[in-house]
Amino acid sequence: MVPTLGRPQRVVIKIGSSSLTSRHGEISLRKLEKLTAEIVCLKDAGYEVVLVSSGAVAAGYRKLGCSERPCSLPEKQAAASIGQGLLMESYSKLFLSHGYIASQILITRSDFLDENRYKNVRNTLNVLLDRGIVPIVNENDTVTSDRLRFGDNDTLSAKVAGLIDAEMLIILSDIDGLYSADPLKNTQAKPIRHVTAITPDIEAAAGGSVSAMGTGGMKSKIDAAKIAMASGITIFLGNASRKNIVSDACLGRAKGTYFKSLQPAGNLNQKKKWIAFNSGPEGEIWLHKESQLAFIEEHKCLRFNDICKLSGHFSEGTVIRVMDTEGDEIGLGVVNISSKELTRLIDLKTERSQLTTTVMEWDDFVCNLDVPCLAGITN
């Protein structure tokens, strides 16, 4: 049993395709029943739960007439359009049998790139959670192009966890967490139970996908862990087939790998989370050395005279990378001026000392020093 909480605790659960389907590629009702029952246990104890569910393509491709998982984008999207409905129908029936309502949220990466749409997704999820609904999130595979894909639901789940200020992200697949090497290839591989920082050794231990039904391997889970850890969220990786894996993960006693940073996550409000993990930088500016120190240490706004050069084409209100004189990234921030106007001002060399145009406010900037792993995260 999960102990009843004094207040709701938000948990995001991501389930992989191989953990939802049979070896023939069909939806496994037994696996769905097990997952649903474990989520219901959390709901009954007062938790607020968001489920990020894979499996749409895997569930739909055979009904599309394909003998094996399709490779072409149009066939994947067609299979997803069939499988998504089958998944939601099954989830809805199972949750209703326990007295809970499930809802569907289909997201594309462009929904997170745009700040207003990002806020809309957050507001919708908050309303659903406040009303006791179980939101079931998936990438909108039927319309998403490769250029605007999250890449896998591991990354999506980490970004959703940050979006709703979840305390925990549980990623379930068909293996017992992270090992020192691929356990299917190396019999000497040892399980890693606790990770407090994503080091080169940890990244080296991550291999490729271990299932023909899935798209994300251990590397994608490490990338997701970077995002979640930088947001101050605890992550658990474990095997979906284990009994009570969800409740045991919440209690800290499940067999698997726990990721929890020992460093503070920094004061990241939703604006800064969007800048750090979802915005997609469109250009770069380089700062003079003395300006860099004033900006980082004194939290002063950046003005035109602080910039020595820029690159890329960006408009007012977009996110760019802020670089030091050595070309190393300092952080990410929202600019108040376009690259076209900045270039024009740079060309006005004779009056530069009198130009005090504000380029970036400190409150619209996320510093790598304040957010562990930020420099290693790609949007």
Side-chain angles (χ1 to χ4, degrees):
M1 288 292 292
V2 179
T4 302
L5 302 177
R7 64 172 182 82
Q9 181 178 4
R10 289 190 170 181
V11 177
V12 174
I13 300 170
K14 183 267 176 179
I15 185 84
S17 296
S18 62
S19 301
L20 291 176
T21 54
S22 69
R23 60 190 179 92
H24 299 296
E26 304 292 334
I27 290 177
S28 169
L29 183 59
R30 176 182 59 80
K31 291 180 178 180
L32 286 181
E33 288 175 340
K34 176 184 182 299
L35 175 64
T36 302
E38 295 206 28
I39 293 175
V40 166
C41 184
L42 291 189
K43 292 288 294 177
D44 288 345
Y47 285 74
E48 294 178 340
V49 181
V50 173
L51 174 62
V52 178
S53 179
S54 300
V57 175
Y61 76 83
R62 287 186 180 275
K63 290 178 172 57
L64 184 64
C66 300
S67 59
E68 57 186 26
R69 188 184 178 95
C71 296
S72 72
L73 181 60
E75 286 184 319
K76 287 180 180 178
Q77 291 175 324
S81 72
I82 298 171
Q84 194 63 247
L86 294 172
L87 275 177
M88 278 308 303
E89 181 182 13
S90 298
Y91 277 131
S92 294
K93 288 180 178 179
L94 288 170
F95 278 112
L96 278 173
S97 71
H98 292 280
Y100 290 105
I101 297 173
S103 69
Q104 184 179 48
I105 305 286
L106 296 177
I107 298 175
T108 65
R109 187 166 178 262
S110 59
D111 294 321
F112 276 34
L113 289 172
D114 182 271
E115 187 179 7
N116 287 329
R117 289 160 70 180
Y118 177 85
K119 290 177 180 177
N120 288 340
V121 175
R122 171 179 165 83
N123 292 339
T124 299
L125 285 168
N126 280 333
V127 170
L128 292 169
L129 292 171
D130 289 344
R131 301 292 177 89
I133 310 299
V134 181
I136 299 176
V137 178
N138 195 5
E139 187 161 11
N140 194 350
D141 293 317
T142 60
V143 300
T144 305
S145 65
D146 284 340
R147 186 175 63 86
L148 290 177
R149 286 184 56 80
F150 287 98
D152 56 78
N153 276 350
D154 296 322
T155 300
L156 173 60
S157 67
K159 294 192 174 190
V160 168
L163 176 70
I164 65 167
D165 300 315
E167 286 85 9
M168 189 170 197
L169 168 62
I170 298 172
I171 297 180
L172 300 177
S173 65
D174 52 7
I175 57 175
D176 289 315
L178 178 66
Y179 283 75
S180 58
D182 187 340
L184 298 180
K185 298 178 180 178
N186 187 344
T187 57
Q188 302 301 313
K190 303 295 183 183
I192 301 174
R193 295 306 178 207
H194 297 278
V195 175
T196 56
I198 306 298
T199 64
D201 287 342
I202 292 296
E203 294 199 84
S209 178
V210 298
S211 169
M213 299 304 299
T215 58
M218 189 55 67
K219 183 182 183 303
S220 73
K221 292 168 178 54
I222 297 300
D223 289 343
K226 287 181 182 180
I227 296 171
M229 291 173 77
S231 300
I233 299 168
T234 298
I235 309 95
F236 172 78
L237 304 183
N239 194 321
S241 66
R242 289 192 171 274
K243 185 178 179 181
N244 299 323
I245 187 67
V246 172
S247 56
D248 284 349
C250 290
L251 295 172
R253 65 188 187 194
K255 182 177 181 180
T257 304
Y258 288 88
F259 295 76
K260 185 174 179 60
S261 176
L262 296 180
Q263 297 177 278
N267 186 23
L268 288 186
N269 55 30
Q270 279 300 323
K271 171 80 172 184
K272 293 201 172 191
K273 284 182 182 179
W274 174 74
I275 292 171
F277 310 127
N278 302 289
S279 55
E282 297 185 14
E284 297 86 27
I285 58 173
W286 279 257
L287 306 184
H288 295 291
K289 188 172 184 178
E290 58 273 17
S291 299
Q292 174 191 332
L293 295 174
F295 187 50
I296 300 301
E297 296 179 6
E298 301 175 30
H299 297 182
K300 292 183 177 180
C301 63
L302 280 182
R303 299 193 182 278
F304 168 73
N305 287 340
D306 297 320
I307 299 171
C308 56
K309 69 174 181 177
L310 72 151
S311 70
H313 299 282
F314 49 86
S315 57
E316 177 184 351
T318 58
V319 174
I320 62 170
R321 301 186 190 278
V322 180
M323 320 294 287
D324 64 16
T325 53
E326 303 299 321
D328 294 323
E329 183 183 309
I330 301 171
L332 304 172
V334 178
V335 286
N336 298 328
I337 188 170
S338 69
S339 57
K340 182 178 180 180
E341 180 64 10
L342 263 180
T343 300
R344 187 187 71 81
L345 292 175
I346 288 175
D347 290 339
L348 297 175
K349 298 177 181 178
T350 56
E351 300 180 22
R352 181 174 299 185
S353 61
Q354 299 178 17
L355 293 170
T356 57
T357 303
T358 299
V359 175
M360 184 180 296
E361 304 287 349
W362 173 259
D363 289 342
D364 291 333
F365 175 75
V366 182
C367 180
N368 288 355
L369 296 175
D370 295 332
V371 184
C373 301
L374 179 58
I377 294 172
T378 57
N379 285 291

